[in-house]
Amino acid sequence: GLNENPSEPPLLSKIAANAFRTNIKNTANTQVVAFAGKVLALFEAGLPHAIDPQTLDTLGEDDMGGTLPRGKLPVKLPEAMKDFTPDFIGGAAHTAHPNVCPKTGNLVGWHWSQLVADKSMEITFTEWSSEKFEPVASSTFQVPGCELAPHDMAITDDYIILKVNALTMNQLSFLSGLTGPAASLEMDGRAPVNVHIFPRPTSSNQFEPFAVQAPACFSIHFSHAYEDEETGNLVTFFSGWPPSDSKDFLGAWGGFAPDFKVIPPTFLWKLEINPQTKQFVDVSVASGSANVCAEHPLVHPNFTTRKAQNVYVSASNIVGESSAPNGFARIRVEDGDTTTLAPGEPNTDVDAYWFGTRYTGGEPLIVPKRNGNLDNEREAYLLGMMRDAAKDRSFLSVFDLEKDLKEGPVCKIWLKSNIPHGLHGCFVEADNAGSSVFC
């Protein structure tokens, strides 16, 4: 039934049904963005799907202004094998996490192809204009030792930052059909990670990409990044797990419900890199966020490439434990308290609102107020989906960010039914699919 763990198919059934089925279904269910007249549902292992802005009907795969080949797997074979390459090889997949640059208005994204011969990845960064969704500039690079595409990226005026986690895929288990692509991922929670720095295609500061090694930590989502005017360093913030002995990437998330006893708590981290010396500077839990178990960090959309005082998160608790999100928090990352708290000790300085037991929350969105000052981070609203399990209904909560979150939402917009727990979304004011606010 619905409230039971799924049954485990017999071993031979798995192999017979799934062996060598490498064409992963494009579920287009990770992110949705509206930009330059298009609405796109994104999936990081395939092409985006276009959606009609008025009817929300599915229009089919979109080639992002002619930059992506259709109908091919995101795999490339060596040039010497060109004459023997099957027709379904040689494609690309687009990230589910593009960014809009607040200065240029360009959509900044990237697509990738796996280079199987040397276990590396070819990555092409592209910027599209907000007028006709036309490519403005693009750059292609090879990332050695990168077997799996990073989930998210951060941008500044001149730089693109990708963090490659210590993940590998068990190819034998996947190809034999014993496990799906996600279940085939294996992680090393104690291994250092590589941070790759690239020039933005439209930047006048072009340079050879470089990588720095950072201490073990697993990154999930970036909130923003900036070039520090005082130090010249690159600074970015991301949600992620601390070092752990975990080896099974998604094992604790399977079954009827996640096992939070073995899932690492997710914290907000600050990463700093010196681009001049190409050296790692520091990574640590962000100021003001000690023991705040938080995910889906984001800032006012006009501050994605600037120093922001406030990062907003979907929050689970303030005692450093792993649990489901049931509220939202504002973290003062530049001037917040830097005191280290013991496990279980509450962070009473954080501004947070909790909906209570039997509520679960999704990722928030920060929407600037109409005719507001875009240079004021708090002239905006926080929009967050919540589910009331007791009523089996969902509602959109709206917070006025000129007030403290702890004062509660200014309104709740109830839906007629329950919305399944989701990850990412967008807000667009007009009905013409202009540039949207998204995560």
Side-chain angles (χ1 to χ4, degrees):
L2 291 177
N3 294 328
E4 298 177 355
N5 283 322
S7 59
E8 185 75 11
L11 179 65
L12 292 180
S13 296
K14 289 183 179 181
I15 296 175
N18 300 305
F20 299 107
R21 293 183 62 182
T22 58
N23 190 11
I24 302 172
K25 179 181 179 180
N26 186 339
T27 53
N29 66 349
T30 306
Q31 170 69 299
V32 60
V33 303
F35 185 80
K38 289 185 178 182
V39 176
L40 299 174
L42 301 169
F43 174 63
E44 61 196 26
L47 268 63
H49 271 72
I51 298 174
D52 187 286
Q54 306 298 325
T55 66
L56 300 185
D57 289 340
T58 301
L59 302 178
E61 289 187 335
D62 190 272
D63 62 7
M64 301 291 285
T67 60
L68 301 175
R70 298 173 183 263
K72 296 177 181 288
L73 292 178
V75 174
K76 290 188 177 181
L77 300 180
E79 187 66 24
M81 299 180 63
K82 182 178 181 179
D83 294 338
F84 306 98
T85 301
D87 291 339
F88 60 86
I89 297 294
H94 194 273
T95 178
H97 279 295
N99 279 314
V100 171
C101 175
K103 284 191 175 182
T104 65
N106 292 345
L107 183 73
V108 184
W110 57 281
H111 62 265
W112 60 271
S113 299
Q114 193 69 54
L115 305 178
V116 295
D118 53 6
K119 293 186 176 182
S120 63
M121 186 168 289
E122 182 182 89
I123 288 179
T124 297
F125 297 102
T126 304
E127 300 196 24
W128 292 268
S129 71
S130 59
E131 296 180 359
K132 298 181 180 180
F133 213 118
E134 293 178 339
V136 176
S138 64
S139 305
T140 300
F141 306 100
Q142 185 169 330
V143 185
C146 181
E147 297 185 51
L148 296 164
H151 179 64
D152 199 2
M153 72 171 181
I155 65 171
T156 70
D157 292 343
D158 294 309
Y159 297 88
I160 295 174
I161 304 171
L162 293 180
K163 193 165 177 287
V164 179
N165 293 311
L167 279 173
T168 57
M169 173 173 277
N170 187 328
Q171 299 282 0
L172 179 60
S173 180
F174 174 55
L175 293 175
S176 66
L178 293 177
T179 56
S184 300
L185 297 179
E186 299 174 350
M187 64 177 289
D188 186 347
R190 296 290 178 185
V193 297
N194 291 317
V195 184
H196 294 265
I197 311 297
F198 305 89
R200 283 218 3 216
T202 55
S203 171
S204 59
N205 178 25
Q206 295 296 308
F207 57 89
E208 280 297 313
F210 64 93
V212 299
Q213 195 172 82
C217 59
F218 190 96
S219 68
I220 308 173
H221 296 108
F222 290 97
S223 61
H224 67 299
Y226 62 90
E227 301 160 37
D228 193 300
E229 294 181 355
E230 296 180 3
T231 65
N233 291 343
L234 289 176
V235 179
T236 186
F237 294 83
F238 65 90
S239 62
W241 301 331
S244 73
D245 295 320
S246 179
K247 299 294 183 184
D248 190 355
F249 174 53
L250 290 179
W253 294 91
F256 172 61
D259 186 357
F260 286 105
K261 293 181 180 178
V262 294
I263 295 173
T266 306
F267 298 122
L268 183 67
W269 301 80
K270 178 182 180 180
L271 171 66
E272 194 165 353
I273 292 170
N274 186 327
Q276 306 304 320
T277 62
K278 301 178 182 179
Q279 290 180 327
F280 163 81
V281 177
D282 184 54
V283 64
S284 58
V285 173
S287 299
S289 69
N291 277 0
V292 180
C293 184
E295 235 289 58
H296 303 305
L298 71 162
V299 296
H300 186 293
N302 200 40
F303 285 78
T304 54
T305 60
R306 300 166 57 185
K307 178 184 285 190
Q309 298 295 323
N310 304 296
V311 171
Y312 297 90
V313 297
S314 174
S316 301
N317 59 75
I318 54 172
V319 294
E321 296 180 353
S322 183
S323 63
N326 68 343
F328 301 107
R330 177 174 67 95
I331 299 174
R332 293 164 46 199
V333 294
E334 295 295 341
D335 61 0
D337 193 346
T338 58
T339 303
T340 300
L341 301 178
E345 185 178 356
N347 184 337
T348 57
D349 291 332
V350 70
D351 176 28
Y353 181 83
W354 311 104
F355 287 88
T357 58
R358 305 205 70 187
Y359 287 87
T360 52
E363 180 178 40
L365 290 169
I366 306 301
V367 179
K369 291 184 176 181
R370 183 181 294 174
N371 300 322
N373 180 5
L374 292 178
D375 290 324
N376 185 340
E377 297 177 49
R378 300 192 67 170
E379 285 195 28
Y381 296 103
L382 182 148
L383 311 182
M385 289 295 299
M386 295 297 300
R387 175 179 182 251
D388 184 337
K391 295 182 178 180
D392 196 28
R393 290 178 63 188
S394 297
F395 60 89
L396 178 69
S397 59
V398 181
F399 292 81
D400 185 344
L401 295 183
E402 291 190 80
K403 304 177 181 180
D404 288 340
L405 290 177
K406 61 186 178 184
E407 296 182 32
V410 294
C411 74
K412 297 178 181 178
I413 304 173
W414 284 91
L415 305 180
K416 294 181 179 180
S417 61
N418 169 47
I419 302 298
H421 181 74
L423 295 179
H424 308 295
C426 75
F427 174 89
V428 58
E429 182 176 354
D431 59 1
N432 60 357
S435 184
S436 60
V437 175
F438 57 88
C439 312

